[in-house]
Amino acid sequence: MEYYNKVIESVNIRFLRGFNYKVEKPVFIPDHKEFDNMLILLHHGTLKFGDEQELVNEGEVLFLPGEKKTPLTIGGGNKRAEVPMEHFIENKRKYLQSISFKDIRNSEEDCISVVSFESKVFDVVNFFNSLDIPAFIIRFNDRIAILIEDIMKEMEQSSVGKERILRALTEALVIEVLRHILKNRLFVEELSTNVTYFKDPRLIELFKYIKTNLGGDLSNKVLAKVANVSEDYVGQYFKMLTGINPQDYIEYQRMEAAVDLLRTTKKSIRDIGKEVGYKDTAYFCRRFKMMYGVPAGKMRRRESLINV
């Protein structure tokens, strides 16, 4: 148990966004994938996920880990549209209408609440993404449902300390999700094999160094000096503890930083590429599209649409 306490204490949690939706038109998204972790509370109606389209019951919560592609159905009925993720994002208002939490309580139509959050180990490693766990239903856990409802209520407040309350509620929410996973012994193998980065402080130093030097030299020669291992061994050492080679990890971190800059700044694509370590803008754009399936410029537009 002490080991998992260490894990939880090392995870930095940040509230990103929350929405209440009424389903205007049922929709099936075969390639649904968000970059952030999502919890969806089903108030009324139909919610299905996965290749087998497993049914979520009313009052239950669906957890969608960030970066995981999961077929998703929102809303019931025979006149369900089937659209790709890109179309769904660009036309979200056609399928989902934002409503207040109070209106959800008084509605009999298909309604959901959605909370998106970030969870990073030592503010570096995406925790749930690193576990490589699939989407799953959180059943028989009123505490998690209540926390989501509390977040939705706070979102509609304009009181002093709102941001701090949202942060505290989101931290409690994520801890409850982790407790649920441990209590029900879910993904035991994933937990035991993919949380190895807590076992060697040298790896944590590598993570921190990479994060703070994304625009600089991150060759294996440099990483070897940081970890105090030989240049020939550093790649094997890193992959042994993380499951991926260091240069693949570095590219992922650079691209994630690029996405964050696209979300939060008006910097040019060229400047963003240079800031995260790509001197060649064309190469940066090719790698970005290969990783995310959309050009960097379109990603910026997509993020603005998500927040509508």
Side-chain angles (χ1 to χ4, degrees):
M1 188 57 66
E2 184 59 33
Y3 174 70
Y4 289 114
N5 280 330
K6 182 180 178 182
V7 171
I8 290 173
E9 287 300 315
S10 303
V11 177
N12 298 314
I13 299 159
R14 185 163 68 98
F15 171 79
L16 295 176
R17 61 183 74 90
F19 295 103
N20 295 306
Y21 291 119
K22 180 178 72 173
V23 180
E24 285 287 294
K25 183 177 180 181
V27 60
F28 171 61
I29 309 130
D31 58 342
H32 185 279
K33 183 172 75 170
E34 294 284 357
F35 298 106
D36 304 307
N37 304 297
M38 285 178 55
L39 288 163
I40 306 177
L41 170 60
L42 177 64
H43 296 282
H44 311 294
T46 300
L47 183 65
K48 300 177 182 178
F49 77 102
D51 294 333
E52 302 299 321
Q53 287 293 276
E54 186 176 355
L55 183 67
V56 181
N57 296 316
E58 293 183 359
E60 294 180 339
V61 176
L62 174 62
F63 179 45
L64 299 175
E67 299 286 344
K68 281 289 184 180
K69 186 181 292 184
T70 307
L72 185 68
T73 296
I74 306 173
N78 296 324
K79 296 182 179 180
R80 183 187 69 183
E82 180 174 336
V83 300
M85 184 65 181
E86 185 175 337
H87 172 90
F88 174 69
I89 291 296
E90 293 181 351
N91 299 274
K92 184 174 281 188
R93 287 180 175 175
K94 181 178 179 180
Y95 304 102
L96 301 175
Q97 177 185 334
S98 294
I99 62 173
S100 70
F101 185 73
K102 181 180 178 181
D103 288 338
I104 278 184
R105 284 303 194 191
N106 298 324
S107 176
E108 293 299 324
E109 299 182 69
D110 288 19
C111 295
I112 59 174
S113 291
V114 181
V115 172
S116 297
F117 65 91
E118 181 181 85
S119 56
K120 290 188 175 181
V121 179
F122 299 107
D123 202 29
V124 178
V125 183
N126 284 313
F127 180 67
F128 289 105
N129 181 271
S130 71
L131 293 182
D132 196 30
I133 62 176
F136 67 97
I137 301 174
I138 298 173
R139 303 189 191 275
F140 312 115
N141 195 317
D142 292 340
R143 174 64 176 156
I144 290 176
I146 290 170
L147 282 167
I148 292 173
E149 292 182 348
D150 287 345
I151 288 172
M152 292 299 110
K153 293 173 186 174
E154 190 65 31
M155 285 284 295
E156 297 177 358
Q157 299 288 330
S158 55
S159 304
V160 172
K162 174 180 176 179
E163 295 303 319
R164 189 163 184 174
I165 291 293
L166 285 173
R167 183 168 69 246
L169 288 171
T170 306
E171 287 186 349
L173 179 62
V174 176
I175 289 171
E176 288 296 336
V177 171
L178 291 171
R179 285 177 173 177
H180 181 87
I181 289 172
L182 293 172
K183 180 180 177 180
N184 293 279
R185 298 190 58 77
L186 303 174
F187 317 116
V188 174
E189 184 177 345
E190 287 86 346
L191 282 170
S192 63
T193 59
N194 295 334
V195 195
T196 52
Y197 37 73
F198 292 100
K199 298 178 180 178
D200 193 328
R202 291 177 299 175
L203 188 60
I204 299 303
E205 289 305 311
L206 276 176
F207 285 149
K208 290 179 178 178
Y209 185 84
I210 290 168
K211 181 183 179 182
T212 55
N213 293 276
L214 286 176
D217 182 4
L218 292 175
S219 63
N220 279 7
K221 182 178 181 179
V222 171
L223 299 183
K225 290 181 179 179
V226 174
N228 196 28
V229 297
S230 72
E231 184 178 349
D232 292 336
Y233 177 65
V234 69
Q236 180 184 342
Y237 161 77
F238 192 95
K239 187 170 184 178
M240 178 177 65
L241 291 177
T242 66
I244 59 175
N245 71 59
Q247 295 308 315
D248 285 345
Y249 173 80
I250 289 165
E251 180 169 53
Y252 176 80
Q253 291 300 317
R254 282 175 164 158
M255 289 302 178
E256 189 175 61
V259 169
D260 187 59
L261 289 169
L262 287 167
R263 285 173 166 170
T264 58
T265 74
K266 294 184 179 180
K267 293 180 180 180
S268 68
I269 304 299
R270 180 182 179 181
D271 288 345
I272 288 174
K274 286 183 177 179
E275 188 168 333
V276 299
Y278 292 88
K279 295 179 180 179
D280 186 333
T281 303
Y283 179 71
F284 165 67
C285 290
R286 286 198 302 273
R287 295 302 300 171
F288 191 98
K289 186 174 181 181
M290 184 176 295
M291 182 170 289
Y292 293 114
V294 295
K298 203 164 188 178
M299 170 70 76
R300 172 171 276 162
R301 180 166 178 264
R302 166 188 167 139
E303 288 301 317
S304 67
L305 289 167
I306 285 175
N307 288 300
V308 170

